[in-house]
Amino acid sequence: MSDLEKPNADGVDSSIDDLEDEQPLDSKSAPGNRAEEGPFDADEANPARPYVDLGGLKILPREGLHLRLEVEEGTNRVVAVGLDYAGSTLQVQAFAAPRSTGLWHEIRAQIEDQIIKQGGTSTAREGTFGPELVGEVPVAAGTTADASSSRLARFVGVDGPRWFLRGVIAGDALTNPAAELAIEELFRSVVVVRGSQPMPPRDLIPLSMPKTAATAPPTTSA
């Protein structure tokens, strides 16, 4: 598994596009109102809200939201959270990051590079959360889909206090404005629990099974 604990081919490595020309690769990337509107650090979250506690992440439940835990094959370690909502999917992962610098500019370049290596295409753009990518990757051989089909995904990222949160969006949110707004609000509501323990940058912040609230059976990722 790569340095960013990618549980599937959507996550990923790369060349620097024009969005990086204006700032250093290690500068932080986040919405100006992140602390007020999210994604939130644990110290910023509303303690009265009924979050589903997954260790390194907290998810705010809502009607129609289905939560899945993605588990690494062989180790049974939870490596990502999958959220099905508004006809779309949102995969979230949180990583340790330096206190004063960010990871997203460099990671976005790596994602773009891996998409190209897989024979796909990517488009860099400025989005709700800052610089992001929309990538189209050919479907892997052996799947039930037609060999000529491809998979479209939107990659977003936010640098927070000593953490980096990555989201991979697919489904209706890529073409339907209402679904897009719903998924963006869902991503903003995520809480990252970095903890005080020392962790090397890019290490996955540990996730765990929820202590409360029902979830679907965990899915296994290679």
Side-chain angles (χ1 to χ4, degrees):
M1 183 168 291
S2 74
D3 59 348
L4 267 190
E5 308 286 351
K6 295 182 279 291
N8 58 45
D10 283 338
V12 78
D13 278 286
S14 136
S15 64
I16 304 170
D17 57 44
D18 293 340
L19 292 176
E20 273 79 52
D21 292 342
E22 303 174 358
Q23 49 201 326
L25 277 182
D26 64 354
S27 63
K28 285 183 177 289
S29 176
N33 60 356
R34 185 208 59 76
E36 296 76 30
E37 301 294 333
F40 299 104
D41 185 70
D43 292 338
E44 301 160 346
N46 184 341
R49 286 190 160 188
Y51 290 106
V52 178
D53 187 353
L54 302 172
L57 292 173
K58 290 184 178 181
I59 306 297
L60 187 64
R62 63 199 67 201
E63 185 176 357
L65 175 64
H66 181 67
L67 185 154
R68 293 173 289 103
L69 301 179
E70 301 186 21
V71 178
E72 184 178 51
E73 188 174 5
T75 67
N76 288 326
R77 179 179 63 153
V78 180
V79 294
V81 179
L83 302 169
D84 300 329
Y85 185 61
S88 312
T89 61
L90 169 64
Q91 181 200 74
V92 289
Q93 293 176 291
F95 303 89
R99 185 180 301 276
S100 59
T101 58
L103 297 178
W104 180 224
H105 295 306
E106 182 179 0
I107 296 310
R108 192 171 69 258
Q110 294 174 347
I111 291 173
E112 184 180 35
D113 185 59
Q114 186 62 32
I115 290 173
I116 300 303
K117 288 178 179 178
Q118 293 174 10
T121 60
S122 69
T123 301
R125 68 183 192 184
E126 192 74 14
T128 302
F129 304 102
E132 61 181 45
L133 285 176
V134 176
E136 188 170 3
V137 181
V139 172
T143 64
T144 56
D146 185 86
S148 62
S149 65
S150 59
R151 177 175 13 193
L152 192 65
R154 176 186 173 193
F155 298 86
V156 297
V158 170
D159 290 305
R162 300 175 63 234
W163 52 258
F164 163 66
L165 181 67
R166 187 184 70 179
V168 184
I169 300 167
D172 290 353
L174 299 179
T175 57
N176 183 307
E180 178 183 26
L181 287 174
I183 286 295
E184 289 179 348
E185 195 279 329
L186 178 61
F187 185 68
R188 276 192 179 273
S189 71
V190 173
V191 177
V192 180
V193 184
R194 166 62 177 82
S196 58
Q197 71 278 17
M199 292 180 66
R202 295 180 173 234
D203 269 15
L204 183 70
I205 297 175
L207 297 169
S208 59
M209 298 292 182
K211 300 178 180 63
T212 60
T215 66
T219 58
T220 301
S221 302

